Amino acid sequence: MTRLRPLSSVPFPLDGPEGPEAFASYVDRLAAGQLIPVPVSTILFKTGLLVEDRHDAPLHPGYGIDLTAAQRETFAQVCRLDPGELQTMLLRDLDGVAFDLSGLDVRDTNSVRKVALREWSGASGSACCPECLSETGGWRVRWRLWTSFVCLTHGRLLVARCPRCENRTGNYRPDQSNGPRFITHPPVPGLCANSMPRGASGQGRAAQPCGGDLRTVGTVDLSAAPRLLGAQRVVNAVLDDRQAVVTGQVVPALVYFRHLRSLVAVALHAAQPGDLGPLPPPIARALDESCEERDDERRRSAGRRGTRLHPYKAAPVDPRLVAATLPWAVELLASPDQAALTAGLRRVIDRSRDIRGSAVRALGRDFHFEGPLARALDEVLAPRALTHRTVGHLAPGGTGAYRTFSPARVPHLIWREDYDRDFRPLLEGSGLTEQAARVTISMALVRLTGPYTVRESAAQLGLDGRFKGTSTNPMMTHLGQTGGKDAFGDALHALATRLEGPGPHRDYRAAEQALEEFADLDAETWDACRNAAGISASKSAAMRRGAAAWVWSEILSSHPYFSPALQPGASNQDSLREMYRRFEEQRLDSLKEVLTVHRRWMEGELGLV
């Protein structure tokens, strides 16, 4: 191993109630504490993290997140650190606790960027406590986490923005491997090392760091806010214990932090002042301003597709907003049981319903509700649920459990006889086409067999990519308005009971597979059918294709548009469908009887019941 020059002094890493010191902070104190203070680049060179003491020497991505095994060994040896002490300075120590760093490789910039975007990991930037900086000059690992908003030692709200340069504190460069700015300048612990705005400082080699004294920044005194201090203590305890209790059940810390992320994000998405419990006046004012700005933005973007408001995607960087939302989330997860958690979450879900309307069901997907949060959402929205409590297995007419028949027994379009007798009268005036209604009923039938989403039920029918299920909400809205949900549910469960019976039952997925190359009638069969129907000879390619599409749809209780003859997804699909429409309009009535005979023959040949 290369012999590295010794350092004149090595500080002890900070510890205590605010948690371990951050790696970058230790390097800064190391550089500033030499007999003659040196630049950070010199320390990184002497400890094996840089191959040259230059401002442009390559630095591994993920500075302060993790080190390679060789870097760990060298740094620990030069600084006379125990490997465990070094580990606690890195965000990697919280992998599987506060976030999931799977897929991260500190040698690969793209992997660092990808993981940083996926997780609220604090990969760049950090909050700080001015009084802690004044006493020790050191920054803590936990201050990088979005869940840290108050210093429990001093009872002060953390600072996340330098008042002089107006940039996020922490001195990390996301554009350059999260490395420190001004790497060739000797650091001064406690002073801001961010860049100044363009024009306020020199450029290039003449540039100077901000130099704002973070040790003297005024911040909110929260020492008289026991609710907020208590929430921070709970979060810190979960970091220490690496487990938590949610609705009376012990869960891993990572699960707990994921729940916190979901709850804080949905609160920032939908909550209004007063929804999140009592708050100190400065924190309440910050929440009021945030809600007002959010609602103004919503009004400005009304009618546009999409929105700039995506609170789940990026961690909140204002400690005041974390102080406003996190205590509510901590209290909710501490609920004694599921019923109490559901009651506490109901108001915010109702707020989201006011914003999203019928799309509120996507709340669980967009905010990654899992476990008790997903159950709470289901319970709050139960009166509008399709397959759970209104017409599904938990409906009054349901069995209370998923049905046992195979989805393969369900056709693309529910059988016409059943549709005409039991469902058509209930859907009069709904505005749905017969095709859309019959497919949607088949999807509802599939959803009685398992916890399938609308998209997944379409896939179970073999319609993935061919039918999006957008008729589900209009259908259920119509049934709710006309009072037809009970009758619909009774008819649906009657079909389910029939499919659970002895049969015989057709395996529609196997039949579709057997017919996957049935794109037209062969010339001999077509001539026989044409002659039997009294149709004169003519160009026959389109009619042979149309006849195959109709026979296919009859065998599978499907729609001709889904057939191989009309090539779903083909670039000329519109032309194929137009030719089929003409065939259906001009020829099908004459051919229907003879094609029905041929269909029955094919069913016999395929062994279909």
Side-chain angles (χ1 to χ4, degrees):
M1 181 169 58
T2 303
R3 181 176 295 278
L4 299 170
R5 295 176 61 189
L7 302 171
S8 62
S9 65
V10 176
F12 288 106
L14 299 175
D15 205 345
E18 299 308 311
E21 184 173 11
F23 178 80
S25 168
Y26 183 79
V27 171
D28 285 355
R29 290 198 308 118
L30 196 57
Q34 299 306 296
L35 188 61
I36 299 176
V38 298
V40 169
S41 60
T42 301
I43 295 297
L44 297 182
F45 171 63
K46 288 188 174 185
T47 55
L49 271 65
L50 288 181
V51 295
E52 297 180 83
D53 187 359
R54 294 171 50 88
H55 77 282
D56 57 352
L59 179 66
H60 276 171
Y63 181 72
I65 300 175
D66 201 0
L67 298 172
T68 65
Q71 289 174 335
R72 284 172 179 256
E73 181 181 357
T74 304
F75 192 93
Q77 179 187 19
V78 173
C79 297
R80 301 189 287 278
L81 293 174
D82 181 270
E85 289 179 307
L86 178 57
Q87 171 72 12
T88 62
M89 297 182 192
L90 301 167
L91 281 178
R92 173 65 80 178
D93 189 52
L94 298 175
D95 179 24
V97 179
F99 37 71
D100 177 11
L101 297 184
S102 59
L104 184 140
D105 182 350
V106 292
R107 298 163 297 183
D108 180 7
T109 301
N110 288 331
S111 83
V112 173
R113 184 183 299 113
K114 181 179 179 180
V115 172
L117 288 173
R118 184 189 73 209
E119 303 289 328
W120 286 6
S121 61
S124 61
S126 174
C128 64
C129 170
E131 293 192 33
C132 285
L133 291 182
S134 179
E135 292 174 2
T136 65
W139 299 61
R140 307 303 178 123
V141 173
R142 290 178 183 177
W143 293 349
R144 299 185 69 174
L145 304 182
W146 70 272
T147 49
S148 294
F149 64 91
V150 62
C151 173
L152 294 177
T153 301
H154 301 106
R156 297 281 178 171
L157 185 75
L158 298 184
V159 171
R161 193 168 296 279
C162 171
R164 185 164 189 258
C165 66
E166 299 183 350
N167 290 322
R168 178 161 168 76
T169 55
N171 186 28
Y172 294 91
R173 294 194 64 172
D175 60 325
Q176 292 190 5
S177 306
N178 290 320
R181 293 179 171 88
F182 299 102
I183 195 170
T184 56
H185 288 237
V188 181
L191 300 190
C192 178
N194 286 326
S195 302
M196 290 294 288
R198 184 178 295 275
S201 179
Q203 300 296 313
R205 293 185 178 181
Q208 294 293 322
C210 165
D213 194 342
L214 300 177
R215 298 167 296 188
T216 61
V217 175
T219 185
V220 178
D221 184 359
L222 296 179
S223 58
R227 178 172 176 261
L228 275 59
L229 296 175
Q232 187 69 76
R233 287 192 186 95
V234 169
V235 171
N236 289 358
V238 174
L239 290 172
D240 291 333
D241 299 340
R242 312 219 159 191
Q243 65 179 26
V245 176
V246 176
T247 59
Q249 303 294 318
V250 176
V251 299
L254 183 60
V255 172
Y256 184 81
F257 278 95
R258 283 175 173 167
H259 289 333
L260 286 181
R261 176 178 176 178
S262 297
L263 289 172
V264 167
V266 80
L268 293 173
H269 160 70
Q272 292 292 340
D275 292 347
L276 306 179
L279 298 170
I283 305 302
R285 283 195 296 272
L287 179 62
D288 290 350
E289 292 169 2
S290 174
C291 292
E292 186 175 345
E293 290 176 6
R294 177 199 65 198
D295 295 343
D296 285 346
E297 173 61 28
R298 232 174 234 136
R299 283 189 287 270
R300 285 193 296 270
S301 61
R304 301 177 194 167
R305 182 168 184 172
T307 175
R308 293 192 300 170
L309 300 170
H310 297 291
Y312 188 85
K313 292 186 177 180
V317 295
D318 187 342
R320 298 176 302 168
L321 294 183
V322 179
T325 55
L326 191 69
W328 169 79
V330 168
E331 291 164 355
L332 207 56
L333 295 178
S335 300
D337 51 36
Q338 180 67 52
L341 186 146
T342 300
L345 191 54
R346 181 179 297 275
R347 180 184 289 271
V348 172
I349 294 175
D350 287 341
R351 297 279 194 194
S352 185
R353 179 186 285 157
D354 293 340
I355 298 165
R356 292 171 159 235
S358 61
V360 69
R361 292 214 157 271
L363 196 70
R365 178 199 65 200
D366 294 345
F367 291 90
H368 296 252
F369 279 14
E370 298 174 348
L373 303 188
R375 289 192 290 273
L377 181 63
D378 282 345
E379 290 174 10
V380 172
L381 299 181
R384 301 186 179 193
L386 171 62
T387 58
H388 290 85
R389 298 185 183 277
T390 54
V391 300
H393 67 290
L394 297 179
T399 60
Y402 288 119
R403 295 292 193 141
T404 58
F405 65 86
S406 168
R409 296 181 178 181
V410 182
H412 293 166
L413 278 64
I414 205 68
W415 300 279
R416 182 179 298 279
E417 180 181 352
D418 295 289
Y419 175 75
D420 289 340
R421 182 186 65 245
D422 298 325
F423 297 100
R424 186 190 292 276
L426 299 175
L427 298 176
E428 292 291 341
S430 66
L432 297 175
T433 65
E434 178 180 318
Q435 175 194 350
R438 289 174 65 191
V439 175
T440 303
I441 295 166
S442 287
M443 291 166 61
L445 193 57
V446 166
R447 295 180 76 184
L448 294 182
T449 67
Y452 300 116
T453 63
V454 171
R455 185 184 296 273
E456 289 168 346
S457 64
Q460 287 292 319
L461 288 173
L463 291 176
D464 193 21
R466 291 186 279 178
F467 191 81
K468 297 180 180 179
T470 55
S471 299
T472 298
N473 283 341
M475 175 183 287
M476 298 311 298
T477 299
H478 172 79
L479 293 172
Q481 292 171 344
T482 59
K485 282 189 178 180
D486 289 344
F488 182 94
D490 290 343
L492 195 68
H493 282 280
L495 280 178
T497 300
R498 189 172 83 199
L499 289 176
E500 286 181 329
H505 300 292
R506 179 167 295 183
D507 185 334
Y508 286 95
R509 304 296 88 75
E512 184 176 4
Q513 186 173 6
L515 295 171
E516 63 184 355
E517 297 182 2
F518 182 46
D520 60 7
L521 294 186
D522 62 77
E524 182 179 352
T525 301
W526 169 247
D527 286 340
C529 292
R530 175 181 59 76
N531 289 330
I535 297 175
S536 59
S538 61
K539 290 184 178 180
S540 61
M543 287 192 286
R544 287 165 55 192
R545 194 162 46 241
W550 185 83
V551 170
W552 182 93
S553 69
E554 290 295 300
I555 293 174
L556 295 176
S557 185
S558 187
H559 194 281
Y561 285 177
F562 297 152
S563 69
L566 302 187
Q567 302 175 35
S571 59
N572 62 337
Q573 188 179 79
D574 289 342
S575 175
L576 292 173
R577 289 183 174 184
E578 175 59 23
M579 286 188 286
Y580 178 80
R581 186 192 65 78
R582 294 177 185 176
F583 166 80
E584 191 176 56
E585 184 179 271
Q586 300 170 8
R587 298 295 189 185
L588 183 57
D589 285 345
S590 301
L591 286 163
K592 189 172 290 187
E593 183 176 352
V594 66
L595 290 179
T596 298
V597 173
H598 183 67
R599 183 206 86 198
R600 290 171 181 160
W601 174 82
M602 286 186 64
E603 289 174 336
E605 288 295 300
L606 294 171
L608 300 176
V609 294

